[in-house]
Amino acid sequence: MDLTIVIPAYNEAKRLPATLAKLEWYARRVSFPIEILVVDDGSVDGTKEVIEQRHFPHVQVHRLEMNAGKFTAFRKGVELAKSDWILLYDADGATPITVLDQWLPQLEQVDGLIGSRQVAGSNITVRQSLPRHVLGRWSYHIIRIFTGVTYRDTQCGFKLFRTSLAKKAVQQMHLTRFAGDVELIYLLQLLGARLKEMPVEWHDVPNSKVKLVDYFHSFVDIMRIRRNRKQGQYH
């Protein structure tokens, strides 16, 4: 296989260098080629400049002129990807990249693997706060009822897809932020992708950018997916 790791990043000048250093170590260790695409979503903290100063050999940085949302940045990364597989990876590195070693034997049987903190075998080393955990469980039921997406954890920032299918899916995406993960999975299902939920190691990272109000915005986005489906905007 060959792999493109796409990292949407907004104001990640402080956290992203440590994440990229770990990805660089992994890219040098494995026997297959890896490219790392950081898509700077209009950051105002010098994210692009900080990364370029570190001279990571496997990393390319592409900057969007305005903040347009995580999944606008992800779509750009997918469009630029040249590899057979794409890993959507969060800038905080909450899931160690070494989890990928456990996933590789699955690739011949699937079109996508969805990292999950809610299935057997997951290792949560630092847990979320109780309110976030409860809201996450509530979100699962809402997503299932209104979109038909039944995976237990759609929000984990560690997802691997065949590039050919990801390119088709992002062309139909309407959402740019909060429930973009759900819409992406929904569209991949429409394309007939064979998806499987996989356990991950995960730790809650301090200074999370996900605010409690974002769960409300996610609910609004989920209703948009339901509306778009009824209006025939997905195919």
Side-chain angles (χ1 to χ4, degrees):
M1 65 171 289
D2 52 2
L3 176 68
T4 298
I5 301 175
V6 177
I7 307 176
Y10 177 64
N11 288 347
E12 292 287 358
K14 292 183 178 179
R15 297 195 301 184
L16 191 51
T19 297
L20 292 177
K22 294 173 183 176
L23 296 182
E24 276 288 340
W25 168 83
Y26 186 79
R28 292 193 299 269
R29 185 179 72 88
V30 297
S31 60
F32 53 89
I34 292 179
E35 64 172 350
I36 304 165
L37 300 182
V38 175
V39 184
D40 181 352
D41 186 20
S43 298
V44 294
D45 69 342
T47 293
K48 183 175 184 291
E49 292 74 19
V50 167
I51 300 308
E52 289 177 338
Q53 289 168 7
R54 300 296 179 99
H55 302 293
F56 294 114
H58 292 84
V59 176
Q60 302 174 43
V61 186
H62 300 270
R63 176 178 167 80
L64 304 181
E65 291 305 315
M66 297 178 60
N67 177 244
K70 174 180 178 178
F71 283 90
T72 301
F74 176 64
R75 176 173 180 168
K76 181 63 176 178
V78 171
E79 291 171 350
L80 293 169
K82 299 179 178 67
S83 303
D84 294 330
W85 290 86
I86 287 178
L87 178 69
L88 170 59
Y89 195 72
D90 278 357
D92 61 10
T95 296
I97 188 61
T98 50
V99 167
L100 198 60
D101 292 341
Q102 304 163 28
W103 287 21
L104 297 181
Q106 301 278 336
L107 297 188
E108 291 186 5
Q109 291 80 40
V110 300
D111 299 309
L113 296 172
I114 300 169
S116 176
R117 297 158 289 188
Q118 303 298 330
V119 297
S122 295
N123 178 22
I124 311 303
T125 58
V126 180
R127 295 190 175 274
Q128 291 178 305
S129 65
L130 181 59
R132 291 184 188 277
H133 176 74
V134 171
L135 285 168
R137 293 296 80 217
W138 174 81
S139 297
Y140 159 71
H141 293 291
I142 294 296
I143 291 166
R144 183 170 186 163
I145 291 169
F146 290 105
T147 72
V149 171
T150 60
Y151 297 101
R152 295 179 62 186
D153 186 0
T154 58
Q155 301 307 113
C156 179
F158 199 89
K159 297 179 176 70
L160 182 68
F161 305 112
R162 290 190 190 274
T163 302
S164 57
L165 286 169
K167 286 181 181 290
K168 292 178 181 178
V170 298
Q171 289 175 3
Q172 294 194 60
M173 289 190 71
H174 294 266
L175 305 184
T176 62
R177 299 182 188 272
F178 306 101
D181 296 271
V182 180
E183 187 180 40
L184 177 62
I185 292 170
Y186 176 78
L187 287 167
L188 286 164
Q189 289 180 327
L190 281 185
L191 291 167
R194 299 165 297 167
L195 304 178
K196 182 178 180 180
E197 206 164 11
M198 293 287 289
V200 294
E201 178 183 338
W202 187 87
H203 62 277
D204 190 40
V205 177
N207 303 316
S208 170
K209 294 186 177 182
V210 179
K211 304 178 179 64
L212 293 180
V213 71
D214 291 340
Y215 289 92
F216 170 75
H217 294 308
S218 294
F219 174 75
V220 174
D221 272 358
I222 289 164
M223 293 300 102
R224 290 181 62 194
I225 296 173
R226 180 171 180 262
R227 181 199 64 195
N228 292 343
R229 180 178 63 178
K230 288 188 171 184
Q231 293 178 349
Q233 297 189 39
Y234 301 129
H235 53 83

